[in-house]
Every structure is written in structure tokens, then in C-alpha cells.
Amino acid sequence: MSNKTARLIEAFSAIQGEGLNVGTRQIFIRFAICDLRCDYCDSAHTWVAPAEYRIEVTPGLRDFEVYSNPVQLNTLLGFIQRQNVPSLHDSISLTGGEPLLHAPFLAEFLPELRSLTNLPIYLETGGHRPEQLLTILPYLDSVGMDLKLPSVSGESHWQAHAQFLQYCYDSQTEVFVKIIISNQTDVAELERAANLVAAVSPAIIIYLQPVTPLEVGTMFAPSPEQVLTWQALMKNWIKQVRVVPQTHKMLQQL
Ligand code: SF4
């Protein structure tokens, strides 16, 4: 595939529901394809590239137009230009799927995006592809890195997470860590995660995000007692451990 094209799910304007930017208005670019298979994934429709993607015409109105994949770089720039109405948006979110699977595209797209708008660029990622991150890190303003606990996600990427976080920190890119927790969370893994982050810097904020139970499945949110205990535990190593559920689901947003 050309570096000037990528597989997309959708692009639209919405309120960020998670992490450090919660409550802010963002232009979302949701890329297709993910190489992980987290047990709690609420975006399984992004795992493989669909034949078509959709792009919102008016910010926030969900008046989508549908096109065939792949998306051209210029089409995406045109979309940003249309959505970039003065003062509405706080930043642009690259999300997915796993956006870093499109690193060659992003390495061409992001410099052009920067010359088009001065909105900060924020990457949401599984945090397991440090080599791909390096290729686009100079164009990013902030990164939300998932740290996958094996007991909750079924995925295990400790070494890659440590390297990924170190790269963000060394480049002085704003970074926070998000950890999904369920009632099955292994406490030893939380301790290991806190130590992993503290080894890079105890000032990096960790967001504990109670899982939003899927309609089908056996995953349950942690009890209030579990959350209080785990936050207290992690604060032995990390200055700020914040507990924030997915607020966009409460608002019934995309
Ligand atoms: S990394 Fe994200 S999109 Fe991929 S499987 Fe996990 S939760 Fe789903």
C-alpha cells in the first residue's frame, strides 16, 4: 500500500471520554486494523479493515458520507480543514484500532497536518510498538499509552510498554498511562505496572479505568473497595493515580 493512503474506520468531531483530555472536544481520526485482541475490546469492528469508511460533514452532526477504503492523504487533510472551525476543537486524536500500524502513512500525513492547523496532535495507542512510535514522535504533542494487564486484557507486553514509555519521556512528549481494571485484576500486575512507570518517572500520571462491561461476556467492573485499595497501592510509587471510567459511554457518544 502507498504511504499516501491508509485504512480508515471513521473521522468525526466528539468529546473525549477518557484519560488526560477527558471532556475536551477533539477531531477523531479512527484508523482500521489492530494486532491485539484485548478481552474487553469495545472496538472489535476495527480489527480488520472494512471496505468502506465514513467521514462526518458537519462537526458533531453525524451526517456521515461513506467512501471506499483506502483513504487518500489529501482526502483526510480536506476533512480536517472542513472540521477546523475556529475555537471549536482542542486537539486532534489519532485512534483506532492501532494507529501505529499506519506509521508510514502518519510520517507523511502529520507534517502536512501540522502546516494546516496548530491544533495539538494526540495519539491513543496500545503502547506495544515502540519502533513505529519513534518514526512519528516528533509530530506528536501528547500520547495516551495503554498498559495491558494480562489478567484483564489477555495480552502481555511489559518490555514493549517500558521501551515505549521511555521513548515518550525522553522526547519530552506529554504522556499518560491508561490501565483497564476489572474485578479479576491481578494485584501483583498492578504493582509491576506501577514500578514499570515509576522507573521512567513517578510523575507520569496513571489512569485506572474500570472496564465498561460488554453486553455479552463475563467481565465485570471492580468493586468500589477494590478500586480504593488498588489506587492506594499504586500511589506508593506514582504521584497521581486517577480513577476515571469511560465518560463518553455515559453521554451515549461515539
Ligand atoms: S488495543 Fe484497543 S482496539 Fe486493539 S484489541 Fe485492544 S482494546 Fe481493542
Side-chain angles (χ1 to χ4, degrees):
M1 200 183 357
S2 151
N3 287 350
K4 300 255 185 209
T5 64
R7 310 275 167 179
L8 206 64
I9 300 288
E10 57 192 358
F12 57 97
S13 164
I15 299 165
Q16 172 60 249
E18 303 179 357
L20 192 63
N21 301 308
V22 69
T24 64
R25 187 70 176 258
Q26 293 187 321
I27 298 174
F28 284 80
I29 304 176
R30 195 189 307 283
F31 290 92
I33 312 174
C34 187
D35 53 341
L36 302 188
R37 293 292 178 264
C38 304
D39 292 340
Y40 51 73
C41 183
D42 59 1
S43 314
H45 63 289
T46 68
W47 288 353
V48 292
E52 294 174 329
Y53 66 90
R54 59 181 193 164
I55 282 194
E56 189 178 61
V57 178
T58 322
L61 290 195
R62 308 296 180 248
D63 49 353
F64 290 102
E65 284 177 345
V66 175
Y67 302 91
S68 295
N69 261 320
V71 66
Q72 304 291 324
L73 189 147
N74 285 335
T75 308
L76 214 43
L77 286 175
F79 158 74
I80 298 286
Q81 200 152 27
R82 203 169 58 199
Q83 291 261 331
N84 195 15
V85 291
S87 80
L88 175 60
H89 293 107
D90 299 297
S91 51
I92 298 173
S93 172
L94 310 172
T95 187
E98 175 51 62
L100 288 176
L101 295 176
H102 304 273
F105 171 81
L106 291 171
E108 297 212 12
F109 173 64
L110 297 183
E112 296 208 31
L113 189 57
R114 277 228 176 277
S115 57
L116 187 72
T117 164
N118 52 16
L119 286 174
I121 300 173
Y122 162 64
L123 172 71
E124 277 188 331
T125 169
H128 61 295
R129 292 195 158 265
E131 301 312 321
Q132 282 80 4
L133 172 75
L134 269 189
T135 65
I136 64 160
L137 203 42
Y139 311 116
L140 301 176
D141 295 286
S142 65
V143 176
M145 186 198 105
D146 284 3
L147 198 160
K148 310 285 186 190
L149 299 184
S151 58
V152 185
S153 68
E155 293 281 349
S156 181
H157 302 276
W158 296 102
Q159 219 179 331
H161 287 326
Q163 183 67 77
F164 195 103
L165 199 55
Q166 192 67 53
Y167 283 155
C168 291
Y169 188 75
D170 291 347
S171 69
Q172 299 184 339
T173 305
E174 181 180 57
V175 61
F176 70 89
V177 170
K178 186 183 80 188
I179 301 175
I180 310 286
I181 50 174
S182 75
N183 66 334
Q184 298 299 323
T185 303
D186 178 344
V187 180
E189 289 178 3
L190 281 179
E191 200 169 319
R192 183 172 176 181
N195 277 287
L196 183 155
V197 176
V200 178
S201 168
I204 295 173
I205 303 173
I206 293 183
Y207 284 81
L208 292 179
Q209 185 173 295
V211 70
T212 306
L214 302 172
E215 274 164 33
V216 214
T218 52
M219 187 146 318
F220 297 99
S223 69
E225 294 73 24
Q226 285 178 311
V227 173
L228 286 163
T229 308
W230 297 342
Q231 183 187 41
L233 171 77
M234 296 183 88
K235 282 174 74 74
N236 285 316
W237 298 280
I238 300 293
K239 280 200 194 116
Q240 290 199 50
V241 181
R242 302 179 184 172
V243 181
V244 183
Q246 287 186 306
T247 63
H248 56 291
K249 301 233 166 120
M250 298 173 194
L251 295 171
Q252 298 186 323
Q253 264 211 112
L254 277 175

XYZ file of all heavy atoms in Angstrom, residues 18-90:
590
model
N -11.996 9.780 27.820
C -11.045 9.036 28.656
C -9.783 9.861 28.931
O -9.417 10.735 28.146
C -10.588 7.753 27.945
C -11.702 6.818 27.541
C -11.178 5.576 26.821
O -9.958 5.457 26.571
O -12.007 4.722 26.503
N -9.120 9.507 30.008
C -7.743 9.960 30.241
C -7.569 11.452 30.461
O -8.500 12.168 30.835
N -6.367 11.900 30.178
C -5.941 13.272 30.480
C -6.782 14.335 29.788
O -6.964 15.426 30.302
C -4.468 13.416 30.043
C -3.710 14.645 30.490
C -3.572 14.703 32.003
C -2.320 14.656 29.852
N -7.289 14.029 28.588
C -8.042 15.023 27.813
C -9.552 14.885 27.982
O -10.321 15.423 27.185
C -7.694 14.892 26.329
C -6.226 15.097 26.075
O -5.662 16.097 26.500
N -5.592 14.137 25.415
N -9.985 14.180 29.015
C -11.418 13.925 29.199
C -12.196 15.241 29.194
O -11.788 16.230 29.792
C -11.664 13.103 30.490
C -11.363 13.904 31.742
C -13.081 12.556 30.538
N -13.304 15.235 28.461
C -14.174 16.410 28.426
C -13.826 17.417 27.348
O -14.609 18.329 27.079
N -12.666 17.278 26.714
C -12.290 18.247 25.671
C -12.868 17.813 24.330
O -13.228 16.646 24.128
C -10.758 18.382 25.546
O -10.219 17.127 25.119
C -10.124 18.800 26.863
N -12.953 18.774 23.422
C -13.520 18.497 22.099
C -12.390 18.168 21.124
O -11.426 18.932 21.007
C -14.299 19.722 21.625
C -15.085 19.538 20.344
C -16.288 18.622 20.540
N -17.066 18.538 19.309
C -18.199 19.199 19.098
N -18.723 19.968 20.047
N -18.825 19.075 17.946
N -12.534 17.041 20.471
C -11.465 16.598 19.570
C -12.004 16.236 18.198
O -13.158 15.822 18.055
C -10.755 15.361 20.143
C -9.979 15.643 21.422
C -9.160 14.443 21.873
O -9.606 13.315 21.769
N -7.968 14.707 22.392
N -11.133 16.367 17.214
C -11.380 15.754 15.909
C -10.786 14.352 15.999
O -9.591 14.198 16.252
C -10.696 16.560 14.785
C -11.262 17.985 14.724
C -10.858 15.845 13.458
C -10.535 18.891 13.737
N -11.625 13.337 15.830
C -11.167 11.949 15.932
C -10.889 11.380 14.544
O -11.751 11.466 13.661
C -12.233 11.069 16.598
C -12.312 11.244 18.091
C -12.994 12.315 18.643
C -11.707 10.334 18.942
C -13.069 12.489 20.019
C -11.773 10.498 20.327
C -12.460 11.575 20.863
N -9.734 10.780 14.396
C -9.443 10.009 13.189
C -9.234 8.564 13.651
O -8.232 8.253 14.313
C -8.181 10.533 12.467
C -8.353 12.034 12.148
C -7.917 9.731 11.199
C -7.126 12.670 11.514
N -10.218 7.704 13.355
C -10.147 6.320 13.842
C -9.646 5.404 12.719
O -10.344 5.156 11.734
C -11.522 5.848 14.326
C -11.411 4.557 15.165
C -12.760 3.923 15.499
N -13.742 4.783 16.114
C -13.753 5.161 17.391
N -12.795 4.761 18.198
N -14.714 5.930 17.837
N -8.413 4.917 12.896
C -7.796 4.043 11.898
C -8.263 2.606 12.071
O -8.598 2.180 13.179
C -6.269 4.107 12.019
C -5.701 5.421 11.567
C -5.489 6.452 12.461
C -5.406 5.637 10.228
C -4.989 7.681 12.040
C -4.904 6.855 9.790
C -4.704 7.881 10.703
N -8.257 1.878 10.965
C -8.640 0.462 10.994
C -7.431 -0.407 11.348
O -6.294 0.047 11.257
C -9.191 0.053 9.637
N -7.726 -1.620 11.726
C -6.782 -2.718 11.967
C -6.138 -2.629 13.358
O -5.637 -1.579 13.754
C -5.642 -2.812 10.912
C -6.234 -2.724 9.478
C -4.870 -4.119 11.063
C -5.171 -2.667 8.396
N -6.190 -3.740 14.069
C -5.475 -3.864 15.338
C -4.828 -5.240 15.384
O -5.432 -6.222 14.940
C -6.396 -3.682 16.540
S -5.440 -3.628 18.074
N -3.606 -5.293 15.918
C -2.901 -6.572 16.021
C -3.036 -7.179 17.410
O -2.485 -8.236 17.681
C -1.421 -6.406 15.639
C -0.743 -5.293 16.429
O -1.462 -4.423 16.993
O 0.496 -5.292 16.489
N -3.758 -6.518 18.307
C -4.028 -7.098 19.631
C -5.463 -7.627 19.657
O -6.267 -7.333 18.775
C -3.820 -6.063 20.737
C -2.435 -5.415 20.824
C -2.321 -4.575 22.083
C -1.327 -6.455 20.774
N -5.761 -8.376 20.707
C -7.114 -8.932 20.868
C -7.493 -8.863 22.349
O -7.666 -9.892 23.004
C -7.165 -10.399 20.377
C -6.963 -10.564 18.861
C -8.143 -9.976 18.083
N -7.985 -10.071 16.629
C -7.513 -9.099 15.851
N -7.104 -7.950 16.375
N -7.436 -9.257 14.537
N -7.622 -7.635 22.864
C -7.926 -7.474 24.286
C -9.313 -8.051 24.598
O -10.260 -7.815 23.840
C -7.885 -5.999 24.669
S -6.323 -5.208 24.261
N -9.402 -8.738 25.720
C -10.675 -9.390 26.080
C -11.807 -8.380 26.238
O -12.967 -8.710 26.017
C -10.511 -10.164 27.402
C -9.591 -11.371 27.239
O -9.410 -11.814 26.077
O -9.063 -11.847 28.257
N -11.476 -7.151 26.644
C -12.512 -6.148 26.916
C -12.766 -5.225 25.725
O -13.464 -4.226 25.842
C -12.121 -5.285 28.126
C -10.730 -4.707 28.021
C -10.432 -3.669 27.157
C -9.697 -5.238 28.799
C -9.160 -3.152 27.046
C -8.408 -4.736 28.699
C -8.148 -3.696 27.823
O -6.884 -3.195 27.717
N -12.170 -5.533 24.569
C -12.208 -4.586 23.450
C -13.641 -4.205 23.077
O -14.485 -5.061 22.838
C -11.513 -5.181 22.232
S -11.467 -4.010 20.855
N -13.891 -2.884 23.035
C -15.206 -2.397 22.617
C -15.158 -1.903 21.174
O -16.071 -1.260 20.692
C -15.707 -1.279 23.551
C -14.752 -0.081 23.591
O -13.718 -0.112 22.891
O -15.044 0.875 24.321
N -14.046 -2.175 20.494
C -13.872 -1.711 19.116
C -13.490 -2.869 18.194
O -12.659 -2.707 17.295
C -12.779 -0.641 19.051
O -12.941 0.308 20.058
N -14.075 -4.050 18.445
C -13.704 -5.225 17.637
C -13.989 -4.999 16.148
O -13.362 -5.634 15.299
C -14.437 -6.457 18.157
N -14.895 -4.071 15.853
C -15.179 -3.770 14.441
C -13.993 -3.105 13.758
O -13.980 -2.981 12.539
C -16.417 -2.876 14.330
C -16.245 -1.529 14.977
N -16.183 -1.356 16.343
C -16.099 -0.301 14.440
C -16.010 -0.065 16.617
N -15.952 0.595 15.471
N -12.997 -2.688 14.545
C -11.823 -2.039 13.935
C -10.694 -3.029 13.637
O -9.679 -2.642 13.066
C -11.245 -0.943 14.872
O -10.682 -1.581 16.039
C -12.303 0.049 15.302
N -10.836 -4.290 14.057
C -9.713 -5.230 13.960
C -9.267 -5.474 12.520
O -8.103 -5.677 12.247
C -10.089 -6.559 14.623
C -10.144 -6.476 16.115
C -9.764 -5.408 16.901
C -10.603 -7.487 17.015
N -9.967 -5.708 18.231
C -10.476 -6.968 18.329
C -11.106 -8.780 16.851
C -10.826 -7.706 19.453
C -11.448 -9.519 17.981
C -11.316 -8.981 19.264
N -10.219 -5.536 11.620
C -9.854 -5.683 10.208
C -10.402 -4.472 9.446
O -11.351 -3.829 9.884
C -10.418 -6.985 9.589
C -9.741 -8.208 10.180
C -11.906 -7.068 9.774
N -9.785 -4.207 8.304
C -10.184 -3.015 7.549
C -11.496 -3.269 6.813
O -11.621 -4.247 6.082
C -9.089 -2.652 6.557
N -12.485 -2.421 7.004
C -13.736 -2.565 6.260
C -13.571 -2.063 4.826
O -12.614 -1.329 4.535
C -14.700 -1.671 7.031
C -13.840 -0.638 7.687
C -12.504 -1.270 7.932
N -14.487 -2.435 3.967
C -14.421 -1.978 2.569
C -14.644 -0.468 2.497
O -14.115 0.206 1.622
C -15.469 -2.709 1.742
N -15.424 0.053 3.450
C -15.760 1.477 3.399
C -15.432 2.178 4.715
O -15.414 1.546 5.771
C -17.261 1.642 3.120
C -17.653 1.138 1.741
C -19.156 1.159 1.524
O -19.900 0.977 2.524
O -19.575 1.354 0.382
N -15.190 3.456 4.646
C -15.042 4.275 5.846
C -16.029 5.435 5.759
O -16.613 5.677 4.692
C -13.603 4.796 5.988
C -13.164 5.767 4.928
C -13.355 7.138 5.081
C -12.561 5.326 3.744
C -12.954 8.043 4.109
C -12.156 6.225 2.763
C -12.360 7.574 2.951
O -11.977 8.462 1.983
N -16.248 6.147 6.869
C -17.200 7.261 6.843
C -16.579 8.518 7.443
O -15.794 8.447 8.390
C -18.496 6.874 7.563
C -18.299 6.486 9.010
C -19.622 6.089 9.655
N -19.473 6.025 11.107
C -20.481 6.001 11.965
N -21.727 6.008 11.529
N -20.267 5.951 13.253
N -16.971 9.632 6.876
C -16.431 10.924 7.304
C -17.586 11.882 7.572
O -18.493 12.020 6.752
C -15.478 11.490 6.223
C -14.130 10.776 6.304
C -15.308 12.989 6.363
C -13.013 11.444 5.538
N -17.547 12.519 8.754
C -18.599 13.457 9.135
C -18.465 14.755 8.317
O -17.355 15.257 8.139
C -18.450 13.759 10.626
C -19.576 14.545 11.240
C -19.339 14.726 12.731
O -18.319 15.336 13.108
O -20.159 14.256 13.517
N -19.585 15.275 7.887
C -19.544 16.504 7.076
C -19.501 17.735 7.999
O -18.625 18.584 7.869
C -20.769 16.590 6.132
C -20.743 17.894 5.341
C -20.792 15.385 5.189
N -20.441 17.816 8.951
C -20.524 18.980 9.845
C -20.112 18.542 11.255
O -20.627 17.529 11.744
C -21.975 19.504 9.907
O -22.556 19.403 8.608
C -22.025 20.930 10.384
N -19.206 19.267 11.911
C -18.706 18.838 13.216
C -19.819 18.526 14.225
O -20.620 19.408 14.546
C -17.860 20.020 13.700
C -17.485 20.758 12.470
C -18.607 20.541 11.483
N -19.889 17.285 14.666
C -20.825 16.894 15.714
C -22.210 16.508 15.234
O -23.030 16.044 16.028
N -22.515 16.646 13.950
C -23.886 16.362 13.483
C -24.087 14.922 12.997
O -25.212 14.516 12.685
C -24.294 17.339 12.369
C -24.522 18.797 12.795
C -25.255 19.568 11.711
C -25.301 18.886 14.107
N -23.023 14.172 12.887
C -23.089 12.743 12.486
C -23.727 12.565 11.101
O -24.367 11.541 10.835
C -23.850 11.899 13.531
C -23.350 12.057 14.957
C -21.913 11.568 15.122
N -21.436 11.710 16.486
C -20.475 12.578 16.867
N -19.903 13.385 15.979
N -20.074 12.623 18.122
N -23.539 13.570 10.277
C -24.034 13.493 8.891
C -22.937 12.903 7.989
O -22.345 13.588 7.167
C -24.473 14.874 8.397
C -23.413 15.953 8.661
O -22.395 15.652 9.343
O -23.593 17.086 8.197
N -22.701 11.616 8.196
C -21.553 10.958 7.567
C -21.726 10.762 6.063
O -22.824 10.468 5.588
C -21.337 9.578 8.207
C -20.837 9.633 9.616
C -21.694 9.412 10.688
C -19.500 9.898 9.879
C -21.226 9.446 11.994
C -19.020 9.941 11.186
C -19.886 9.712 12.239
N -20.607 10.915 5.363
C -20.530 10.470 3.972
C -19.662 9.227 3.937
O -18.694 9.119 4.699
C -19.898 11.564 3.096
C -20.859 12.695 2.796
C -20.216 13.818 1.983
O -18.971 13.866 1.899
O -20.973 14.643 1.452
N -20.028 8.272 3.069
C -19.319 6.988 3.041
C -18.450 6.903 1.792
O -18.871 7.276 0.694
C -20.349 5.830 3.073
C -19.656 4.479 2.917
C -21.133 5.874 4.390
N -17.207 6.419 1.979
C -16.248 6.275 0.874
C -15.613 4.886 0.938
O -15.685 4.211 1.963
C -15.134 7.317 0.974
C -15.606 8.749 0.967
C -15.892 9.414 2.160
C -15.776 9.443 -0.226
C -16.322 10.728 2.162
C -16.207 10.765 -0.244
C -16.477 11.405 0.964
O -16.908 12.703 0.961
N -14.928 4.513 -0.139
C -14.237 3.216 -0.165
C -12.826 3.355 0.387
O -12.128 4.321 0.080
C -14.151 2.696 -1.607
O -15.443 2.429 -2.071
N -12.407 2.364 1.182
C -11.025 2.303 1.632
C -10.127 1.934 0.468
O -10.585 1.237 -0.443
C -10.893 1.260 2.751
C -10.896 1.909 4.119
O -10.295 2.956 4.333
N -11.596 1.268 5.051
N -8.859 2.350 0.464
C -8.192 3.167 1.471
C -8.497 4.648 1.306
O -8.944 5.073 0.247
C -6.705 2.899 1.176
C -6.652 2.673 -0.296
C -7.935 1.948 -0.629
N -8.224 5.405 2.381
C -8.407 6.853 2.312
C -7.120 7.482 1.771
O -6.014 7.031 2.082
C -8.755 7.429 3.712
C -7.605 7.276 4.703
C -9.173 8.897 3.619
N -7.284 8.507 0.940
C -6.126 9.237 0.420
C -5.721 10.304 1.441
O -6.582 10.897 2.109
C -6.489 9.938 -0.901
C -7.031 9.031 -1.982
C -5.971 8.086 -2.537
O -4.809 8.474 -2.657
N -6.368 6.865 -2.849
N -4.435 10.565 1.500
C -3.901 11.581 2.421
C -4.608 12.930 2.220
O -5.017 13.575 3.180
C -2.393 11.707 2.168
C -1.566 12.543 3.128
C -0.167 11.957 3.259
C -1.465 13.967 2.678
N -4.804 13.299 0.964
C -5.430 14.606 0.698
C -6.898 14.656 1.122
O -7.406 15.708 1.503
C -5.300 14.968 -0.786
C -3.887 15.403 -1.102
O -3.181 15.870 -0.217
N -3.470 15.226 -2.348
N -7.581 13.518 1.044
C -8.982 13.469 1.492
C -9.054 13.754 2.986
O -9.918 14.503 3.465
C -9.582 12.073 1.215
O -9.349 11.745 -0.144
C -11.057 12.009 1.543
N -8.129 13.172 3.720
C -8.112 13.347 5.174
C -7.738 14.792 5.546
O -8.324 15.377 6.466
C -7.115 12.352 5.779
C -7.442 11.763 7.148
C -8.896 11.358 7.287
C -6.536 10.582 7.445
N -6.810 15.357 4.818
C -6.454 16.766 5.067
C -7.652 17.673 4.784
O -7.925 18.617 5.526
C -5.266 17.187 4.196
C -3.892 16.653 4.599
C -2.852 17.054 3.559
C -3.475 17.164 5.975
N -8.392 17.360 3.725
C -9.572 18.144 3.374
C -10.626 18.074 4.467
O -11.280 19.064 4.801
N -10.765 16.893 5.052
C -11.717 16.708 6.156
C -11.337 17.572 7.351
O -12.175 18.250 7.952
C -11.764 15.224 6.557
C -12.256 14.990 7.949
C -13.603 15.142 8.253
C -11.385 14.630 8.971
C -14.070 14.937 9.555
C -11.837 14.433 10.264
C -13.177 14.587 10.553
N -10.043 17.564 7.690
C -9.575 18.362 8.836
C -9.833 19.848 8.569
O -10.318 20.577 9.445
C -8.061 18.151 9.088
C -7.773 16.681 9.429
C -7.556 19.086 10.189
C -8.189 16.246 10.807
N -9.560 20.267 7.359
C -9.770 21.666 7.008
C -11.240 22.062 7.214
O -11.550 23.128 7.727
C -9.371 21.884 5.560
C -9.095 23.313 5.217
C -8.095 23.411 4.070
O -8.005 22.490 3.240
N -7.349 24.478 4.005
N -12.145 21.164 6.838
C -13.582 21.430 6.949
C -14.024 21.456 8.416
O -14.877 22.239 8.821
C -14.334 20.326 6.210
C -15.721 20.698 5.768
C -16.276 19.657 4.832
N -16.311 18.337 5.433
C -16.406 17.201 4.745
N -16.431 17.229 3.437
N -16.454 16.040 5.358
N -13.430 20.573 9.226
C -13.828 20.475 10.636
C -13.187 21.555 11.501
O -13.622 21.796 12.617
C -13.411 19.100 11.186
C -14.188 17.936 10.609
C -15.297 17.465 11.525
O -15.231 17.580 12.736
N -16.355 16.923 10.940
N -12.126 22.152 10.975
C -11.306 23.041 11.782
C -11.931 24.430 11.930
O -11.305 25.428 11.625
C -9.921 23.124 11.124
C -8.888 23.712 12.052
O -9.123 23.793 13.263
N -7.770 24.123 11.495
N -13.178 24.485 12.407
C -13.832 25.776 12.585
C -13.238 26.461 13.816
O -12.908 25.793 14.784
C -15.373 25.623 12.731
C -15.986 25.183 11.432
C -15.724 24.656 13.837
N -13.095 27.794 13.759
C -12.373 28.495 14.825
C -12.901 28.147 16.218
O -14.105 28.106 16.430
C -12.614 29.974 14.506
C -12.889 30.004 13.049
C -13.572 28.713 12.723
N -12.023 27.881 17.100
C -12.226 27.707 18.547
C -13.008 26.465 18.968
O -13.124 26.189 20.149
C -12.892 28.951 19.166
O -14.295 28.931 18.930
N -13.556 25.673 18.039
C -14.348 24.523 18.479
C -13.477 23.412 19.073
O -13.760 22.899 20.158
C -15.178 23.951 17.310
C -15.943 22.663 17.637
C -16.933 22.879 18.779
C -16.671 22.129 16.401
N -12.430 23.032 18.377
C -11.670 21.857 18.796
C -10.453 22.210 19.646
O -9.832 23.252 19.452
C -11.248 21.046 17.567
C -12.420 20.435 16.875
N -12.893 20.898 15.668
C -13.241 19.425 17.242
C -13.961 20.179 15.320
N -14.192 19.288 16.259
N -10.150 21.292 20.571
C -8.974 21.470 21.425
C -7.769 20.713 20.885
O -6.626 21.083 21.142
C -9.285 20.964 22.844
C -10.427 21.751 23.468
O -10.251 22.967 23.670
O -11.493 21.169 23.725
